[in-house]
Amino acid sequence: MATDPLEKYKSKRNFTLTTEPAEGGVGNEAARQFVIQKHWASSLHYDLRLELDGTMKSWAVPKGPSFDPADKRMAIHVEDHPISYNTFEGVIPAKQYGAGKVIVWDKGTWVPIGDAHEGYAQGNLKFEFHGHKLQGRWALIRIKSKNTRQDAWLLIKEKDTLARPASEFSVVDELPDSVAALPALAAPTSAQGTPTPSKPPHQSARKTSASTTSSARRKAAAPARSTLPPKMSPVLATLVDQPPAQAEDWLFEIKFDGYRMLTRIDDQGQVRLFTRNGHDWTSKLKSIARQIADLHLPPSWLDGEIVVLNANGAPDFQALQNAFDLDRQQDFVYFLFDLPFHDGLDLTGLPLVERRAALRTLLTHAPPALRFSDTFDAPPQDMVTSACQMGLEGIIGKRKTSTYTSTRSADWIKLKCGHRQEFVIGGWTDPKGSRQALGAILVGVHDEQGRLVYAGGVGTGFNNKALVDIHAKLHKLAQKTSPFAGPTEHDRQAHWVKPTLLAEVTFSHWTQDGHLRHPVFHALRDDKPAKNIVRERPQHPQDFKPQETRSTLPAQLKISHPDRVVDASTGITKIELIRHYGLVGPLMMAHLKGRPVSLVRAPSGIEGQQFFQKHLENAKMTGIRELPQSLDPDHEPYMEVATALGLLSAAQMNVVEFHTWNATRSALMKPDRITFDLDPGAGVDWKTVQQGAQLLHAFLDQLGLAGFLKTSGGKGLHVVVPIRRQHDWDTVKAFSQAVVSHLAATLPQLFVAKMGPRNRVGKIFVDYLRNGFGATTVSAWSARVRPGMGVSVPCAWAELGQLTGGAHWTVRNIHRRLDQGNAPWHDYSSAARSIGPAIKMLKPAKAARR
């Protein structure tokens, strides 16, 4: 009888208590899944799972994957998991195996290099990842371990075009969130539909920072939660004169002879279609809009091209115009090729191949009028030749790793069969002989100064109906003066028009004096702004560089000396500190917003000279602004961290610590909190500090005040008391001193109310001086200028006994805490009380002591 491969997995779990799946899931050896789950168990780690033989082979990777081949990450082989586990997110209950939070950190397919079963059995498994975050070639190598209870392997990034030094890109630091909500990625396939170990996408993972002395470094971008933009502009392709040299890094599609169309689907399911110029054409495309609505897609932006196909199945622009004129809705076909936004996620920073994979999934059951624009697996020059033989315009090339940028991009290129582009109509000439309506249209393009430059007359390519229709439209635009910057050969007999109407023209070549040779009218266009029409000049694709993708560290942030060591005791570098503030920024802003801030700078690292900065002065840090001097006319303007970007730009300027006032700018002279800093003297062990915090908490409770706990990031603990803004600074400071004096008088063996090293030997000094005007305390989530670089973190009182010190969390292990965030202080905003009654309670205590 066959052994159940999930027997060990099932034996470790009580499925009446945990929501983890007991079994299930359908395997697919032709497109094997992988998943990496971020798991906050007794310690944070990453669970790597690879589908093989109907289960998920699993490894626990304590530090998570790294794109640096020099990082050989320990991976402990654990029991097989069911395939259905791939979608599991949630919290495994306390006292259950693996208790803690789990998220799907990455997912996709994996392709073995060589025989998967042989590699797994021999402990030398090499493969490609095709995921949202991980791509390229990787290896799992079994190692000999002295610990016979552990089956130890190493997860190693292979050297390929995606490899990045750890100092430049840390995927676990910069892409920390779940991908569970993202659509499944299509498996990589060959022309026959069989998964193949294809070359890794060029530059799919990007470096994180940019040096002021080097070009911008690139990295993979994670999709971010975002509201659906009300408007969008499409990516525009650049005309080139030959295919790119590294054709394997590109996808190639037909260049459709139609109208570029963007579709917006809002949260009510309403569908609107927009031209590239932002004109709403929904009323002209009612059938297409209705069929998109019938797909019941979540809020999204789709990008594609509206065409009409001729009898040979090729796009026909004249037929498209006729369909619009005759309202032949049934003739329209919408070819879709990109998905910049979907279901609350901004996908513009993802590589093209990932956006297209998600789009293909959405169109699986679409009607015939909505089609996914397929790519072709053939040499691009052969595709151009075939396209020209079929009477098509040419082909479009898109770099596989390109992001979606609303501009003309060198990562999207067009190769045309001949010379064809739009021109601005500036006038017309009268007909001769039996010709009707007009003789020729006079066209031009804009030069670099924005002037309309004459390019020639176009007199062929019209039928009688077109002549009449165009003349009628031009007559409405008539004006007395020429719109062209220079003279034309038709100045004496021409009729001039306002230069707003566009004509698409084919021609053999440009003459030396900038005129068209053998021009032929093709169609009128009104989907592009006339001011943007310039002479298209082919470029050389080999001169292009891959476009820079957006990073979780913003592209505008220029980081100098990212490898500079900030803390010699740990080797923490400047880029690691900046990544820390990138991670905690959204959490930290809740503690910074609206409060004057002071900065501690350490240009030479924490062992060097430090500077305490209260005013912005001549420093320029994006996201940090001056507060109005009117708040305190006697002092220079104070600073405020206005956005999370301010944390990053400050860290770039060597800021390590952020300190905040106990008041906000809206009422600077009336504090809204009190801070008690428990600072242990020499000889005080950690248990005593914990005991002191509990006693302070109990005393505040007796006074009717709420105390909120946080680590200091240094030796001690902070207790923060929210209060109503009813008293001035002197009153609040005097009250905080009275609290500390009462503790010192009641428990002199534990507390001291006098500062100074000699006074606090063997005792805890509860610092109340931080409650005076202008005094500050290090903010929650700030790193500290101390060896090890501890971080001040909000905690629940129930966690106090589990803390190992004031620097329980550091820049290096802060990941373990991000899932909790500010949750321990969830009721802080509603906990403020007046200190008036507490002041009265303390006065009798003072009298009794006398």
Side-chain angles (χ1 to χ4, degrees):
M1 186 173 180
T3 303
D4 182 358
L6 297 177
E7 181 180 356
K8 189 174 182 180
Y9 167 83
K10 294 175 182 177
S11 68
K12 292 185 174 184
R13 292 162 173 83
N14 183 344
F15 295 107
T16 64
L17 298 176
T18 179
T19 57
E20 297 166 278
E23 52 192 342
V26 179
N28 183 358
E29 291 292 304
R32 297 183 177 98
Q33 299 178 56
F34 88 87
V35 68
I36 296 180
Q37 282 154 318
K38 190 173 179 180
H39 188 178
W40 287 267
S42 55
S43 62
L44 175 67
H45 63 276
Y46 296 77
D47 292 315
L48 164 62
R49 312 193 196 284
L50 304 178
E51 179 187 342
L52 191 64
D53 293 334
T55 65
M56 301 302 293
K57 306 300 179 186
S58 299
W59 292 260
V61 185
K63 292 186 178 181
S66 169
F67 274 88
D68 191 338
D71 287 344
K72 296 175 174 56
R73 293 293 169 85
M74 180 67 71
I76 306 302
H77 195 204
V78 297
E79 71 277 5
D80 291 0
H81 283 53
I83 291 175
S84 58
Y85 205 95
N86 293 356
T87 59
F88 174 69
E89 280 197 334
V91 177
I92 301 172
K95 298 183 180 180
Q96 293 298 298
Y97 178 74
K101 181 179 175 181
V102 177
I103 65 169
V104 176
W105 182 80
D106 197 16
K107 63 180 180 179
T109 56
W110 70 285
V111 179
I113 299 175
D115 186 271
H117 299 86
E118 181 179 339
Y120 177 68
Q122 294 181 356
N124 187 5
L125 183 58
K126 296 189 176 183
F127 52 91
E128 286 187 347
F129 275 136
H130 296 272
H132 292 282
K133 298 176 184 178
L134 300 188
Q135 296 183 6
R137 298 193 301 271
W138 297 74
L140 275 165
I141 309 297
R142 185 188 290 121
I143 60 174
K144 294 182 179 179
S145 174
K146 295 180 180 179
N147 186 348
T148 57
R149 298 178 58 187
Q150 289 188 333
D151 184 8
W153 298 52
L154 296 175
L155 175 64
I156 305 171
K157 180 74 186 74
E158 296 273 273
K159 293 181 179 179
D160 58 19
T161 56
L162 299 178
R164 292 289 178 270
S167 62
E168 297 174 347
F169 177 57
S170 169
V171 66
V172 295
D173 281 319
E174 297 175 42
L175 306 177
D177 298 325
S178 170
V179 299
L182 295 183
L185 297 174
T189 59
S190 67
Q192 289 74 35
T194 303
T196 60
S198 60
K199 294 183 179 180
H202 181 60
Q203 303 293 344
S204 175
R206 307 287 190 172
K207 296 182 182 181
T208 63
S209 60
S211 170
T212 54
T213 59
S214 64
S215 62
R217 298 169 178 162
R218 298 175 295 272
K219 77 172 194 61
R225 285 283 164 191
S226 174
T227 56
L228 192 70
K231 296 181 179 180
M232 276 205 75
S233 297
V235 184
L236 302 179
T238 299
L239 179 65
V240 297
D241 57 4
Q242 64 185 46
Q246 302 295 328
E248 66 271 19
D249 294 337
W250 297 72
L251 300 176
F252 294 94
E253 306 169 62
I254 289 175
K255 186 180 188 304
F256 294 105
D257 194 1
Y259 283 115
R260 184 75 172 274
M261 202 66 57
L262 291 164
T263 297
R264 185 180 191 270
I265 308 163
D266 66 18
D267 55 4
Q268 303 300 316
Q270 184 181 30
V271 174
R272 311 295 292 178
L273 292 110
F274 298 92
T275 68
R276 55 180 276 181
N277 197 29
H279 296 306
D280 189 336
W281 277 24
T282 311
S283 61
K284 297 182 179 183
L285 295 162
K286 296 185 290 292
S287 175
I288 294 294
R290 184 171 59 253
Q291 292 179 73
I292 295 173
D294 288 344
L295 292 178
H296 301 292
L297 300 178
S300 302
W301 274 100
L302 312 175
D303 190 1
E305 189 108 357
I306 294 289
V307 303
V308 168
L309 304 177
N310 62 22
N312 297 321
D316 186 329
F317 192 80
Q318 189 59 55
L320 176 63
Q321 287 204 316
N322 292 339
F324 275 114
D325 292 342
L326 301 174
D327 195 23
R328 293 179 56 88
Q329 295 279 325
Q330 70 274 16
D331 292 348
F332 295 130
V333 177
Y334 193 12
F335 280 95
L336 291 154
F337 43 69
D338 216 321
L339 181 67
F341 282 84
H342 178 65
D343 198 12
L345 293 172
D346 179 354
L347 306 184
T348 57
L350 287 180
L352 170 71
V353 290
E354 297 184 22
R355 301 195 307 273
R356 282 178 55 85
L359 176 62
R360 182 191 288 273
T361 301
L362 295 181
L363 298 177
T364 302
H365 302 294
L370 305 177
R371 306 186 188 182
F372 181 73
S373 175
D374 273 317
T375 60
F376 297 90
D377 186 13
Q381 192 56 61
D382 293 350
M383 286 186 276
V384 173
T385 301
S386 296
C388 297
Q389 291 173 348
M390 294 171 62
L392 302 175
E393 267 200 86
I395 64 172
I396 295 289
K398 301 173 184 177
R399 199 186 295 272
K400 292 178 180 178
T401 57
S402 61
T403 58
Y404 195 97
T405 56
S406 296
T407 184
R408 193 167 299 280
S409 170
D411 280 353
W412 287 33
I413 59 175
K414 50 188 175 184
L415 295 107
K416 291 186 175 182
C417 293
H419 295 287
R420 174 172 167 171
Q421 74 161 82
E422 298 86 7
F423 292 86
V424 181
I425 302 176
W428 83 89
T429 62
D430 291 326
K432 295 181 180 180
S434 60
R435 183 81 170 235
Q436 298 184 50
L438 58 83
I441 55 173
L442 309 181
V443 300
V445 292
H446 292 95
D447 63 10
E448 294 180 353
Q449 285 75 44
R451 299 174 300 182
L452 186 62
V453 178
Y454 179 66
V458 183
T460 60
F462 304 95
N463 58 30
N464 288 335
K465 182 178 184 301
L467 288 171
V468 173
D469 289 346
I470 294 172
H471 180 264
K473 291 178 179 178
L474 292 176
H475 193 269
K476 294 179 181 179
L477 298 173
Q479 64 179 31
K480 293 182 178 181
T481 57
S482 170
F484 297 110
T488 77
E489 68 271 27
H490 302 287
D491 282 355
R492 292 186 177 181
Q493 67 268 34
H495 304 276
W496 307 118
V497 298
K498 185 179 179 180
T500 58
L501 200 60
L502 305 184
E504 189 162 357
V505 177
T506 57
F507 54 99
S508 60
H509 61 273
W510 289 89
T511 65
Q512 288 187 350
D513 58 355
H515 288 179
L516 302 179
R517 184 73 169 163
H518 305 306
V520 178
F521 173 79
H522 187 65
L524 288 180
R525 300 197 74 111
D526 58 357
D527 59 330
K528 303 178 183 180
K531 64 181 180 180
N532 290 353
I533 302 303
V534 298
R535 177 175 172 177
E536 291 188 347
R537 300 179 185 273
Q539 300 186 42
H540 300 289
Q542 62 266 30
D543 296 334
F544 295 166
K545 297 179 180 179
Q547 84 181 52
E548 304 298 333
T549 61
R550 290 179 301 171
S551 159
T552 49
L553 297 184
Q556 66 265 38
L557 180 69
K558 303 301 181 183
I559 302 173
S560 60
H561 309 295
D563 300 330
R564 176 184 289 159
V565 175
V566 179
D567 176 19
S569 69
T570 58
I572 291 173
T573 59
K574 181 177 179 179
I575 185 61
E576 286 184 85
L577 180 62
I578 292 174
R579 286 174 185 154
H580 164 77
Y581 283 118
L583 284 170
V584 304
L587 300 172
M588 195 169 176
M589 287 307 299
H591 302 269
L592 292 170
K593 198 74 172 179
R595 295 187 185 276
V597 66
S598 297
L599 312 174
V600 178
R601 301 173 65 174
S604 301
I606 64 174
E607 293 83 8
Q609 188 175 6
Q610 299 165 18
F611 302 90
F612 195 79
Q613 181 177 344
K614 287 191 172 185
H615 311 289
L616 196 56
E617 298 170 346
N618 295 324
K620 293 183 178 180
M621 291 179 275
T622 304
I624 294 184
R625 66 187 176 198
E626 286 186 337
L627 294 175
Q629 191 168 1
S630 58
L631 293 176
D632 185 5
D634 296 333
H635 294 85
E636 292 294 316
Y638 301 118
M639 297 180 290
E640 176 196 7
V641 179
T643 68
L645 179 58
L647 297 169
L648 305 180
S649 58
Q652 152 59 20
M653 296 294 288
N654 304 303
V655 172
V656 177
E657 294 186 1
F658 295 81
H659 292 241
T660 57
W661 285 41
N662 283 342
T664 63
R665 62 182 180 182
S666 60
L668 196 61
M669 296 305 167
K670 291 189 176 181
D672 67 344
R673 71 184 186 194
I674 299 171
T675 300
F676 295 102
D677 178 7
L678 280 73
D679 189 359
V684 177
D685 60 23
W686 178 244
K687 287 185 178 180
T688 303
V689 177
Q690 292 169 306
Q691 180 188 8
Q694 284 284 25
L695 290 169
L696 173 57
H697 182 216
F699 184 48
L700 291 171
D701 189 56
Q702 290 179 8
L703 293 174
L705 300 174
F708 289 81
L709 179 70
K710 71 182 179 80
T711 61
S712 69
K715 296 185 299 179
L717 294 166
H718 293 161
V719 177
V720 181
V721 181
I723 61 174
R724 292 179 181 171
R725 295 186 294 194
Q726 297 174 334
H727 302 278
D728 59 21
W729 286 98
D730 289 341
T731 301
V732 171
K733 182 180 178 181
F735 170 72
S736 64
Q737 182 178 6
V739 170
V740 173
S741 297
H742 177 81
L743 290 172
T746 306
L747 299 166
Q749 72 279 15
L750 185 60
F751 295 109
V752 62
K754 294 182 179 179
M755 64 184 304
R758 293 183 179 179
N759 297 321
R760 69 179 88 171
V761 173
K763 299 181 181 181
I764 300 170
F765 171 57
V766 183
D767 188 353
Y768 60 87
L769 299 173
R770 299 179 182 275
N771 300 302
F773 178 82
T776 60
T777 307
V778 72
S779 172
W781 303 106
S782 174
R784 300 303 305 273
V785 186
R786 295 173 177 269
M789 301 198 74
V791 177
S792 179
V793 174
C795 306
W797 284 103
E799 297 178 287
L800 178 58
Q802 304 165 23
L803 300 177
T804 58
H808 183 88
W809 291 283
T810 69
V811 167
R812 282 271 172 86
N813 68 16
I814 195 63
H815 288 270
R816 301 177 184 176
R817 191 61 178 180
L818 296 179
D819 65 318
Q820 291 290 319
N822 290 322
W825 284 23
H826 67 92
D827 56 347
Y828 178 91
S829 60
S830 61
R833 299 289 183 269
S834 171
I835 62 172
I839 291 173
K840 294 178 180 178
M841 290 176 66
L842 276 177
K843 286 181 179 178
K846 285 185 180 180
R849 287 198 300 272
R850 292 193 188 100

